[in-house]
Amino acid sequence: MLNYIIRRLLILPFILVGVTMLVFAMLSMLTPYERASLYVSDIPKRQGAIEDIIEKYGLNDPIHIQYWHWMVGHEDKNTGEVKGGLLRGDLGFSTVGHMPVIEVIKHRLPATAELALLAAIPLIGLAVWMGIQSAVHHNKLIDQVLRVLAIIGWSIPTFVLGLLLLMFFYAQLDWFPPERLSTWASQVVQSGEFTRYTQMNTIDSLLNLRFDIFVDSLRHLVLPVITLSVISWAFLLRVTRSSMLDTLRQDYMTTARSKGLGERTVIKGHAVPNALIPVITVGGMTLIGLFNGVVITETIFNYPGLGKFMASSAAALDVVSVLGMTLFSSFVLVFGNLIVDVLYGVVDPRIRLD
Amino acid sequence: MLNQILDVKGLETRFRTDEGIVHAVNGVSFTVDEGETIGIVGESGCGKSVTMLSVLRLIPTPPGMIAGGTAEFYGQDLLKLQEEEMRHIRGAQISMIFQDPMTSLNPVLTIGKQLTEPMLLHLNMTQEKADEKAAELLEMVGISGASERLKDYPHQFSGGMRQRVMIAMALSCNPKVLIADEPTTALDVTIQAQFIDLVKRLQKNLGMAIIWITHDLGVIAGLAKRMMVMYGGSFIEEADVKELYANPQHPYTIGLLGSLPRLDGKHSERLVSIDGLPPVLYEPPTSCPFAPRCEFVIDKCLKENPILEEFSPKHRVACWVDISTGRSR
């Protein structure tokens, strides 16, 4: 098992380097002028200003040199100071966020993480449990109902669902408002007496014993969590169901019953561990997808996370931010994938040992 | 006279399918004495496995259902027991091994876990005690380094080894009856022979009765004393093995024997095959189910389904035709 993890970790740097190359290649598809113009906030006052910028940042250098500079940093010819460099944590400066991209990520990640984690819990728990029930009661009423719900959940576009929820539960009933906190709560959170341990409001409010803020942050999270997770929930339910149905048909199920085991033991002890193997792969990917798929949800609910930032940078043609976010998402994906692979080895002994 | 332990009478099993109700088992009766071996022979799809699964009530319901008959085990009708009571019979009193050892073991559980499960359940053993016994069982079926191998997973065993694990598991609670559903079909020939020797040795030591299901007449010859030939969900001939091989009376049995190569046969002899496929019965049979494939067929065969009748003592056959004359009996 350790061997397997070490091998996976050894491959990791190569994948990450590959990702940076792809992202850089995308950046290089813009001409030096286009890239230089990103740094120019106003119409240039003198001739050759753009050329100076191109010269200063080496935008006309051969591509491998540019890549090198992008990775390890670029020496300023006048001061001799080394600036930038991905390896030193510099993803460029975001014009939309008015701060370096890495700062934007640090600033906004907790909000998105909170949303994704809260979406993940009902998602995994409910989808897997329902999928198992659906398969065990194959073609019975509960199976039919869950199948219909899953198909509906799977087919409603996120933006439609989000808007419908917003219309009904906010505009009509005023139960669940958009954004992240109410104004009063937001003032408390930003005041000195409220310690922001994790920057996730639900957890911080509990740690600060401010249950009113906890309730307020939950109210703001209900709709985005539902919107974000419905499609994945439907998908995961269907995967679990079909995997479980497949498992229930296996010969070893008859073997288990022929030993005199009760139906509960047969299902829980013999079927579920097998049925969960594909679910873990798909479920892991779905979770990672949640992390990346917050763009629409956060935009609809005006939720100040990474997804909203991505959407506004794309709308403002802030190439640096978009690429920085792309790189960040890829890293999340690659690391998430690693965790899924390791988990896969934990549940399936056949993977573990070869 | 040995004690009769299992007495199945008029067993009927049906399956509901989209095409209609399939009559898989149509009034099968047989008895098993303590410690004896009987063979059930027939081609794929004739209802052999379904019969035995019905006795253990392992038919998935729905679509399957046991429509009639009794299956008395020590005088207690298994088909009328509560599910809970039935569970104490399965694996403890009557256990079963299956055709494909590659798929009959759970791939994500260790051999030790799967092997100890019946003992923990039926014999109230502690885990340590069960582990010990499991190692002994593996040793008994000829797997060396047994206590180490308990930690292994099924994929670390070969097919023959897995079938040995299966039989160790089936015998772990000293059952009275072992149902072997084509356990050698998926094994290659040398492993088959080893496995059959193992089963014989185990039976000698443990004394369980064996019901051996197969389509391989060669395997049965060396194992069983009595055998039944099954076709279209019914037994069509039953006799002692020697009598049946020497003196088959049903055209289907003759066909089965004719399709076997013989060591003492002439080299130039062609093996005979039976044309056609076994029927899928959507109605209870009103004619002989073998009639469409039978070369001895007479009018009566198409009008009435023959029932088992005594041909000679301990030899019964279900056929309207006397094959020595080709006319109705």
Side-chain angles (χ1 to χ4, degrees), chain A residues 310-329:
Chain A
M310 241 196 266
S312 26
S313 0
L317 295 179
D318 181 353
V319 178
V320 175
S321 302
V322 171
L323 287 176
M325 289 305 300
T326 308
L327 198 59
F328 176 73
S329 308

Side-chain angles (χ1 to χ4, degrees), chain A residues 181-196 201 204-205 208-214 216:
Chain A
L181 282 175
S182 307
T183 320
W184 64 268
S186 168
Q187 275 161 2
V188 175
V189 166
Q190 268 147 25
S191 70
E193 62 217 74
F194 190 92
T195 325
R196 307 191 73 180
N201 293 332
D204 287 348
S205 59
N208 282 286
L209 299 176
R210 288 297 301 258
F211 299 108
D212 50 342
I213 293 185
F214 178 71
D216 189 63

